Amino acid sequence: MTMKKQILTFVVLLGTVCASADNAVATLHADQAGSKINKEIYGQFAEHLGSCIYGGLWVGEDSPIPNIKGYRKDVFDALKALQIPVLRWPGGCFADDYHWMDGIGPKKNRPSLRNNNWGGTIEDNSFGTHEFLNLCEMLGCEPYISGNVGSGTVKEMAQWVEYMTSDGDTPMARLRRQNGRDKAWKVKYFGIGNEAWGCGGNMTPEYYSNEYRKFNTYLRDQGDNKLFRIASGASDYDYDWTRVLMKNIGNRMQGISVHYYTVKEWNKKGKATIFTPEEYYLTLEKCLDVEPVVAKHCAIMDETDPEKKIALMVDEWGTWWDEEPGTIAGHLYQQNSLRDAMVASLMLNVFHKYTDRVRMCNIAQVVNVLQSMILTDQKGTGHMVLTPTYHVFEMYKPFQEATYLPMDLTTDSIKTTEGKMVPMISTSAARTADGQIVIALANTSLDKSQKLDIALEGVTAKTVAGRILTSKSAVDYNNFEHPNVVAPREFKDAKLKKGTLSVKLPAKSIVVLTLK
Ligand code: AHR
């Protein structure tokens, strides 16, 4: 494996380590349970972008790559194991260019399309509504459809909902039956547009609110299928967008989205696997900035919806690096290092904290695009690799549907070159339905191990077991020749004694513990 120059030695002190205690200390308040962590926080996103769909999820039935009815088998099996709860499709920016009727019926009759947003690639529409909804059924996850407001019509969107969810003797249900699917699918999550402030139509929030209200009027619930309607929300710091939509759309939506990418500078994103310690900490700083962003959107929503009926959905998030050299421009294919795993861990820890309002998050994206779970070989060799980010999602599985437990934490911090603080430890805890306590711990420091003592209040557990994700260097990653460089291992440095859990966290590590 070409680990390139692994320049993460620590001769250079980045910033001050601000000491607070010899050992980091925390108190877990298991007696003060918070909200349920919706499984949808672990949501995924699959856009017609690069090789996410074609070559990632879908290879077609005639492919030499092993497949189940056209779905790539290795990818399918890995996603099944991950218990993905919800999958968003068909975009992203692609959604507002997508006309669903081109993707139904016999494949040979489907017109091809030019993917205007992502490299101008020609697609044959062989993956359409049936292929997507059947995949969700096979994976046992909720589909989340993004409807086309930007270039679509109200009629087109209304007919799509009817096509997917009507079990009556209606024109669209008849068309669906002609195309081989008798029973309606269950579709809960429906996005009315995407990034309406940008690729989804370049609208103002006032104009979009009116568009939403118009489209929404004709999206009729079919039978007992009730749509959970999601408005196209803000880009990270655009609080005005949320405020206007809350006022003008209000309870006509059940959810409003927000997008937050971990990118320091859009015109200088940096490489996925070559970075300095300084860049590592600046990335974590940017990633942790999601907390004030989420908190502020939540506070705005509280003004008009104090009962928290409307959910905030972070339906796009993740790292965004330069595309890998030699890959197709516009396909957003990037590697994924231990740094990406750290970002995933920190972001999930933040989302857990806000689950009274944040009820769905969708990492961008599931295969081969941005901070993906899985990478497949772009040369078509049939190789697949699980990324460090996949392993974080897999280790965090017990958090799905568990009840959030607050924890007070005193930890050292590292001051970045931009003067902000990155805590050396990040934690999250929850109680699972069967009474186990699950604790996630991340040591963000590149060079210092950390001892942490957690006082356990309201916990009767007798045993602790866990797994750790770490590697020699934060730039380490998995590739097709070396797929297990960054992979979870058993963790033995956690001891339970007299109501205290003592843990020794190696540098740059993520640990998930289960207390029984
Ligand atoms: O995830 C890639 C793109 O990022 C999506 O298509 C768009 O919604 C966002 O700008």
Side-chain angles (χ1 to χ4, degrees):
M1 132 176 240
T2 52
M3 279 302 186
K4 317 226 172 111
K5 288 174 207 94
Q6 299 188 2
I7 37 180
L8 297 184
T9 51
F10 278 82
V11 189
V12 186
L13 184 62
L14 273 167
T16 333
V17 172
C18 302
S20 49
D22 285 348
N23 280 10
V25 287
T27 304
L28 171 67
H29 301 284
D31 45 357
Q32 296 172 25
S35 319
K36 184 180 65 142
I37 298 169
N38 260 14
K39 60 183 188 313
E40 283 84 354
I41 298 288
Y42 288 82
Q44 300 285 337
F45 173 29
E47 178 165 10
H48 286 246
L49 197 180
S51 49
C52 182
I53 303 290
Y54 299 106
L57 294 170
W58 178 257
V59 286
E61 287 174 0
D62 300 332
S63 171
I65 295 176
N67 66 83
I68 313 164
K69 296 183 189 162
Y71 306 105
R72 202 179 151 129
K73 186 173 180 325
D74 50 3
V75 171
F76 176 84
D77 290 344
L79 295 179
K80 186 92 179 165
L82 205 52
Q83 289 170 10
I84 74 169
V86 56
L87 187 58
R88 179 171 182 248
W89 175 85
C93 295
F94 178 83
D96 282 283
D97 249 336
Y98 182 60
H99 300 283
W100 69 272
M101 282 209 179
D102 294 342
I104 56 169
K107 292 204 167 59
K108 62 177 178 5
N109 298 340
R110 298 186 192 178
S112 62
L113 65 85
R114 181 177 190 276
N115 193 325
N116 295 316
N117 287 285
W118 306 115
T121 305
I122 304 299
E123 298 185 4
D124 66 5
N125 259 315
S126 56
F127 190 95
T129 301
H130 289 246
E131 289 73 24
F132 173 66
L133 293 174
N134 291 343
L135 172 64
C136 290
E137 278 189 347
M138 289 161 67
L139 287 171
C141 73
E142 297 279 358
Y144 171 8
I145 300 278
S146 259
N148 179 349
V149 170
S151 72
T153 64
V154 173
K155 181 177 174 192
E156 180 184 18
M157 193 188 282
Q159 286 184 324
W160 200 8
V161 170
E162 184 191 322
Y163 185 89
M164 293 184 289
T165 61
S166 165
D167 251 335
D169 185 22
T170 67
M172 288 299 114
R174 285 202 293 274
L175 180 59
R176 185 193 66 236
R177 288 186 195 108
Q178 263 174 40
N179 290 330
R181 171 77 188 200
D182 181 36
K183 213 169 138 348
W185 290 280
K186 285 276 170 241
V187 176
K188 180 173 174 187
Y189 297 109
F190 197 93
I192 301 180
N194 168 73
E195 297 197 347
W197 39 265
C199 63
N202 280 302
M203 304 176 205
T204 63
E206 290 80 10
Y207 184 85
Y208 170 69
S209 299
N210 286 343
E211 285 291 282
Y212 178 101
R213 290 166 69 124
K214 182 175 73 184
F215 275 77
N216 183 49
T217 306
Y218 302 96
L219 292 190
R220 302 205 162 93
D221 284 333
Q222 308 285 327
D224 62 358
N225 188 83
K226 250 193 136 11
L227 294 182
F228 185 104
R229 294 144 198 267
I230 301 164
S232 163
S235 175
D236 39 40
Y237 305 92
D238 185 358
Y239 304 111
D240 184 54
W241 188 277
T242 299
R243 189 171 283 113
V244 174
L245 267 55
M246 286 300 289
K247 178 167 168 274
N248 294 357
I249 300 178
N251 60 15
R252 288 179 176 85
M253 61 188 171
Q254 281 76 56
I256 180 171
S257 71
V258 61
H259 291 176
Y260 188 89
Y261 283 100
T262 298
V263 181
K264 279 299 284 181
E265 284 178 66
W266 281 99
N267 53 6
K268 205 172 142 217
K269 300 189 193 80
K271 297 193 168 37
T273 56
I274 306 176
F275 49 88
T276 62
E278 178 184 358
E279 287 167 329
Y280 167 87
Y281 286 114
L282 288 173
T283 298
L284 299 195
E285 173 200 299
K286 171 71 190 181
C287 139
L288 287 168
D289 214 27
V290 75
E291 177 154 7
V293 168
V294 164
K296 199 148 179 200
H297 285 288
C298 288
I300 290 165
M301 295 174 76
D302 285 347
E303 290 166 14
T304 48
D305 177 34
E307 290 171 3
K308 301 189 195 297
K309 288 190 177 145
I310 302 169
L312 183 65
M313 340 282 277
V314 189
D315 65 8
E316 288 185 27
W317 68 273
T319 55
W320 194 321
W321 310 118
D322 295 343
E323 296 175 308
E324 287 300 313
T327 59
I328 299 172
H331 281 199
L332 311 188
Y333 184 87
Q334 68 187 39
Q335 249 300 350
N336 195 297
S337 72
L338 182 60
R339 173 176 64 169
D340 295 83
M342 192 60 76
V343 167
S345 166
L346 300 185
M347 295 283 289
L348 291 168
N349 292 350
V350 170
F351 296 151
H352 290 172
K353 224 168 136 180
Y354 291 84
T355 39
D356 57 343
R357 179 71 85 177
V358 177
R359 300 193 196 122
M360 189 201 289
C361 302
N362 306 74
I363 189 167
Q365 299 191 7
V366 66
V367 192
N368 289 337
V369 172
L370 300 176
Q371 192 176 351
S372 60
M373 303 293 116
I374 294 170
L375 292 170
T376 65
D377 188 4
Q378 298 302 284
K379 293 184 203 99
T381 58
H383 289 119
M384 179 204 88
V385 76
L386 304 178
T387 66
T389 300
Y390 177 100
H391 293 307
V392 171
F393 272 65
E394 193 276 325
M395 287 165 69
Y396 271 63
K397 268 190 328 192
F399 281 101
Q400 295 190 22
E401 299 288 294
T403 304
Y404 177 76
L405 300 174
M407 203 187 301
D408 298 327
L409 169 72
T410 308
T411 169
D412 290 343
S413 293
I414 294 167
K415 200 177 200 174
T416 68
T417 47
E418 291 186 0
K420 292 197 185 152
M421 306 302 262
V422 173
M424 278 167 87
I425 296 181
S426 166
T427 62
S428 190
R431 191 193 300 278
T432 61
D434 57 1
Q436 301 181 15
I437 305 283
V438 52
I439 301 178
L441 305 165
N443 178 359
T444 61
S445 170
L446 283 169
D447 60 344
K448 289 191 169 50
S449 64
Q450 291 277 297
K451 283 190 181 149
L452 170 67
D453 289 329
I454 307 175
L456 303 170
E457 288 185 358
V459 177
T460 53
K462 305 229 164 9
T463 62
V464 57
R467 286 193 300 158
I468 182 168
L469 189 72
T470 188
S471 194
K472 280 204 192 82
S473 169
V475 300
D476 286 354
Y477 58 92
N478 299 329
N479 66 13
F480 305 114
E481 292 78 41
H482 301 93
N484 294 313
V485 174
V486 188
R489 295 190 314 270
E490 192 183 352
F491 179 70
K492 292 199 171 140
D493 262 338
K495 307 268 173 296
L496 253 180
K497 205 172 162 193
K498 294 188 185 152
T500 299
L501 176 66
S502 301
V503 190
K504 189 169 175 213
L505 295 168
K508 52 184 168 358
S509 67
I510 298 152
V511 168
V512 177
L513 301 171
T514 306
L515 276 62
K516 289 190 203 169

